[in-house]
Amino acid sequence: MVADPPSRLSPDHMRNLLHALGSEMDLRFAALRKGTGYEHVRPSDVRVFGQTAIGVSTISDIARALRISRQAAHMSARRLQTLGVIEIAAAANKRDRILRLTEKGREAAGMAQRHTATVDDEFAEVIGSDGVETLRKTLKILLQKARADNERDGLRLLE
């Protein structure tokens, strides 16, 4: 059980720490992209690109996976298309769009994979390789729990 809460909110509460870590990681990845053709890509576009790179193919599926609006996912997709890293094609239902990596996109995905490994290695310097894996597993468990609690309570970020 968690100890009684203090009389005022601590800066070390889980939400604050996770948000701050995510923001710092966005900055770290931006620094790793410096000097590449992707130096000024928005973090939101990076997330849409990442979903496409792992095989999520439609704008609707990407929006659901990232819990963002279809419009936001589509706007990111258009910017990524302008960069030449994805192509957008019509889907069977005419309302949706399918995203596919281009050759340039596959090269960018390789770079992203190397950057991710770099950040994992930097974390391992602090908490060890086992610590990184434990953290990854713990975050997945916490995410599943939060989603299950929200679903149970009828809460959804976006449809």
Side-chain angles (χ1 to χ4, degrees), residues 49-77:
F49 177 79
Q51 288 297 304
T52 305
I54 64 172
V56 181
S57 62
T58 69
I59 287 182
S60 293
D61 289 342
I62 289 170
R64 260 189 302 283
L66 295 176
R67 300 192 184 298
I68 61 175
S69 69
R70 284 180 69 255
Q71 181 181 10
H74 192 261
M75 289 171 58
S76 284

CSV table of all heavy atoms in Angstrom, one decimal, residues 49-77:
chain,number,residue,atom,x,y,z
A,49,PHE,N,4.9,8.0,-37.6
A,49,PHE,CA,5.9,7.3,-38.4
A,49,PHE,C,6.2,6.0,-37.7
A,49,PHE,O,6.3,4.9,-38.3
A,49,PHE,CB,7.2,8.1,-38.6
A,49,PHE,CG,8.2,7.4,-39.3
A,49,PHE,CD1,8.2,7.3,-40.7
A,49,PHE,CD2,9.3,6.8,-38.6
A,49,PHE,CE1,9.1,6.6,-41.4
A,49,PHE,CE2,10.3,6.1,-39.3
A,49,PHE,CZ,10.2,6.0,-40.7
A,50,GLY,N,6.4,6.0,-36.4
A,50,GLY,CA,6.8,4.8,-35.7
A,50,GLY,C,5.7,3.7,-35.8
A,50,GLY,O,6.0,2.5,-35.9
A,51,GLN,N,4.4,4.1,-35.7
A,51,GLN,CA,3.3,3.2,-35.8
A,51,GLN,C,3.3,2.6,-37.2
A,51,GLN,O,3.1,1.4,-37.4
A,51,GLN,CB,2.0,3.9,-35.5
A,51,GLN,CG,1.8,4.2,-34.1
A,51,GLN,CD,1.7,2.9,-33.2
A,51,GLN,OE1,0.9,2.0,-33.4
A,51,GLN,NE2,2.6,2.9,-32.2
A,52,THR,N,3.6,3.4,-38.2
A,52,THR,CA,3.6,2.9,-39.6
A,52,THR,C,4.8,1.9,-39.7
A,52,THR,O,4.6,0.9,-40.4
A,52,THR,CB,3.8,4.1,-40.6
A,52,THR,OG1,2.7,5.0,-40.4
A,52,THR,CG2,3.8,3.6,-42.0
A,53,ALA,N,5.9,2.3,-39.1
A,53,ALA,CA,7.1,1.4,-39.3
A,53,ALA,C,6.9,0.0,-38.6
A,53,ALA,O,7.5,-0.9,-39.0
A,53,ALA,CB,8.3,2.1,-38.7
A,54,ILE,N,6.1,0.0,-37.5
A,54,ILE,CA,5.9,-1.3,-36.9
A,54,ILE,C,4.7,-2.1,-37.5
A,54,ILE,O,4.4,-3.2,-37.1
A,54,ILE,CB,5.7,-1.2,-35.3
A,54,ILE,CG1,4.4,-0.4,-35.0
A,54,ILE,CG2,6.9,-0.6,-34.7
A,54,ILE,CD1,4.0,-0.4,-33.5
A,55,GLY,N,4.1,-1.5,-38.5
A,55,GLY,CA,3.1,-2.3,-39.3
A,55,GLY,C,1.7,-1.9,-39.1
A,55,GLY,O,0.8,-2.5,-39.7
A,56,VAL,N,1.4,-0.8,-38.3
A,56,VAL,CA,0.0,-0.3,-38.2
A,56,VAL,C,-0.2,0.5,-39.5
A,56,VAL,O,0.5,1.4,-39.8
A,56,VAL,CB,-0.2,0.6,-37.0
A,56,VAL,CG1,-1.6,1.1,-36.9
A,56,VAL,CG2,0.2,-0.2,-35.7
A,57,SER,N,-1.2,0.1,-40.3
A,57,SER,CA,-1.3,0.6,-41.7
A,57,SER,C,-2.3,1.6,-42.0
A,57,SER,O,-2.1,2.4,-42.9
A,57,SER,CB,-1.5,-0.6,-42.6
A,57,SER,OG,-2.7,-1.2,-42.4
A,58,THR,N,-3.4,1.7,-41.2
A,58,THR,CA,-4.4,2.7,-41.6
A,58,THR,C,-4.4,3.9,-40.7
A,58,THR,O,-4.0,3.8,-39.5
A,58,THR,CB,-5.8,2.2,-41.6
A,58,THR,OG1,-6.2,1.9,-40.3
A,58,THR,CG2,-5.9,0.9,-42.5
A,59,ILE,N,-4.8,5.1,-41.2
A,59,ILE,CA,-4.9,6.2,-40.3
A,59,ILE,C,-5.8,6.0,-39.1
A,59,ILE,O,-5.4,6.4,-38.0
A,59,ILE,CB,-5.3,7.5,-41.1
A,59,ILE,CG1,-4.2,7.9,-42.1
A,59,ILE,CG2,-5.8,8.6,-40.2
A,59,ILE,CD1,-4.4,9.1,-42.9
A,60,SER,N,-6.9,5.3,-39.3
A,60,SER,CA,-7.8,5.0,-38.2
A,60,SER,C,-7.1,4.1,-37.1
A,60,SER,O,-7.2,4.4,-35.9
A,60,SER,CB,-9.1,4.3,-38.7
A,60,SER,OG,-9.8,5.2,-39.5
A,61,ASP,N,-6.4,3.1,-37.6
A,61,ASP,CA,-5.7,2.2,-36.6
A,61,ASP,C,-4.6,3.0,-35.9
A,61,ASP,O,-4.4,2.8,-34.7
A,61,ASP,CB,-5.1,1.0,-37.4
A,61,ASP,CG,-6.2,0.0,-37.8
A,61,ASP,OD1,-7.3,0.1,-37.3
A,61,ASP,OD2,-5.9,-0.8,-38.7
A,62,ILE,N,-3.9,3.8,-36.6
A,62,ILE,CA,-2.8,4.6,-36.0
A,62,ILE,C,-3.4,5.6,-34.9
A,62,ILE,O,-2.9,5.7,-33.8
A,62,ILE,CB,-2.0,5.4,-37.0
A,62,ILE,CG1,-1.1,4.4,-37.8
A,62,ILE,CG2,-1.1,6.5,-36.4
A,62,ILE,CD1,-0.4,5.0,-39.0
A,63,ALA,N,-4.5,6.2,-35.3
A,63,ALA,CA,-5.2,7.2,-34.4
A,63,ALA,C,-5.6,6.4,-33.1
A,63,ALA,O,-5.4,6.9,-32.0
A,63,ALA,CB,-6.4,7.8,-35.1
A,64,ARG,N,-6.2,5.2,-33.3
A,64,ARG,CA,-6.6,4.4,-32.1
A,64,ARG,C,-5.4,4.0,-31.3
A,64,ARG,O,-5.4,4.1,-30.1
A,64,ARG,CB,-7.3,3.1,-32.6
A,64,ARG,CG,-8.8,3.2,-32.5
A,64,ARG,CD,-9.5,1.9,-32.7
A,64,ARG,NE,-9.2,1.3,-34.0
A,64,ARG,CZ,-9.8,1.7,-35.2
A,64,ARG,NH1,-10.6,2.6,-35.2
A,64,ARG,NH2,-9.4,1.0,-36.3
A,65,ALA,N,-4.3,3.6,-31.9
A,65,ALA,CA,-3.1,3.1,-31.2
A,65,ALA,C,-2.5,4.2,-30.4
A,65,ALA,O,-2.0,4.0,-29.3
A,65,ALA,CB,-2.1,2.5,-32.2
A,66,LEU,N,-2.5,5.4,-31.0
A,66,LEU,CA,-1.9,6.6,-30.3
A,66,LEU,C,-2.9,7.4,-29.5
A,66,LEU,O,-2.5,8.3,-28.8
A,66,LEU,CB,-1.2,7.5,-31.4
A,66,LEU,CG,-0.1,6.9,-32.1
A,66,LEU,CD1,0.4,7.9,-33.2
A,66,LEU,CD2,1.1,6.6,-31.2
A,67,ARG,N,-4.1,7.0,-29.6
A,67,ARG,CA,-5.2,7.7,-28.9
A,67,ARG,C,-5.2,9.2,-29.2
A,67,ARG,O,-5.2,10.1,-28.3
A,67,ARG,CB,-5.1,7.5,-27.4
A,67,ARG,CG,-5.2,6.0,-27.0
A,67,ARG,CD,-5.3,5.8,-25.5
A,67,ARG,NE,-5.3,4.5,-25.0
A,67,ARG,CZ,-6.2,3.5,-25.2
A,67,ARG,NH1,-7.2,3.7,-26.1
A,67,ARG,NH2,-6.1,2.3,-24.6
A,68,ILE,N,-5.2,9.4,-30.5
A,68,ILE,CA,-5.3,10.8,-31.1
A,68,ILE,C,-6.5,10.8,-32.1
A,68,ILE,O,-7.0,9.7,-32.4
A,68,ILE,CB,-4.0,11.3,-31.7
A,68,ILE,CG1,-3.6,10.4,-32.9
A,68,ILE,CG2,-2.9,11.3,-30.7
A,68,ILE,CD1,-2.4,10.8,-33.7
A,69,SER,N,-6.9,11.9,-32.5
A,69,SER,CA,-8.0,12.0,-33.5
A,69,SER,C,-7.5,11.6,-34.9
A,69,SER,O,-6.3,11.6,-35.2
A,69,SER,CB,-8.5,13.4,-33.6
A,69,SER,OG,-7.5,14.3,-34.2
A,70,ARG,N,-8.4,11.1,-35.7
A,70,ARG,CA,-8.0,10.7,-37.1
A,70,ARG,C,-7.5,11.9,-37.8
A,70,ARG,O,-6.6,11.8,-38.6
A,70,ARG,CB,-9.3,10.2,-37.8
A,70,ARG,CG,-9.7,8.8,-37.4
A,70,ARG,CD,-10.9,8.3,-38.2
A,70,ARG,NE,-10.6,8.1,-39.6
A,70,ARG,CZ,-11.0,8.9,-40.6
A,70,ARG,NH1,-11.7,9.9,-40.4
A,70,ARG,NH2,-10.6,8.6,-41.8
A,71,GLN,N,-8.0,13.1,-37.5
A,71,GLN,CA,-7.6,14.3,-38.2
A,71,GLN,C,-6.1,14.6,-37.8
A,71,GLN,O,-5.3,14.9,-38.7
A,71,GLN,CB,-8.4,15.5,-37.8
A,71,GLN,CG,-8.0,16.8,-38.4
A,71,GLN,CD,-8.9,18.0,-38.0
A,71,GLN,OE1,-9.7,17.9,-37.1
A,71,GLN,NE2,-8.7,19.1,-38.7
A,72,ALA,N,-5.7,14.4,-36.6
A,72,ALA,CA,-4.3,14.7,-36.1
A,72,ALA,C,-3.4,13.6,-36.8
A,72,ALA,O,-2.3,14.0,-37.3
A,72,ALA,CB,-4.2,14.6,-34.6
A,73,ALA,N,-3.9,12.4,-36.9
A,73,ALA,CA,-3.0,11.4,-37.5
A,73,ALA,C,-2.9,11.7,-39.0
A,73,ALA,O,-1.8,11.5,-39.6
A,73,ALA,CB,-3.7,10.0,-37.3
A,74,HIS,N,-4.0,12.1,-39.6
A,74,HIS,CA,-3.9,12.4,-41.1
A,74,HIS,C,-3.0,13.6,-41.3
A,74,HIS,O,-2.2,13.6,-42.3
A,74,HIS,CB,-5.3,12.7,-41.6
A,74,HIS,CG,-5.4,12.8,-43.1
A,74,HIS,ND1,-5.4,14.0,-43.8
A,74,HIS,CD2,-5.4,11.8,-44.0
A,74,HIS,CE1,-5.4,13.7,-45.1
A,74,HIS,NE2,-5.5,12.4,-45.2
A,75,MET,N,-3.0,14.6,-40.5
A,75,MET,CA,-2.1,15.8,-40.7
A,75,MET,C,-0.7,15.4,-40.5
A,75,MET,O,0.2,15.8,-41.3
A,75,MET,CB,-2.5,16.9,-39.6
A,75,MET,CG,-3.8,17.6,-39.9
A,75,MET,SD,-4.4,18.7,-38.6
A,75,MET,CE,-3.1,19.8,-38.5
A,76,SER,N,-0.4,14.5,-39.6
A,76,SER,CA,1.0,14.0,-39.4
A,76,SER,C,1.4,13.2,-40.7
A,76,SER,O,2.5,13.3,-41.2
A,76,SER,CB,1.1,13.1,-38.2
A,76,SER,OG,1.2,13.9,-37.0
A,77,ALA,N,0.5,12.4,-41.1
A,77,ALA,CA,0.7,11.6,-42.3
A,77,ALA,C,1.0,12.4,-43.5
A,77,ALA,O,2.0,12.1,-44.3
A,77,ALA,CB,-0.5,10.6,-42.6
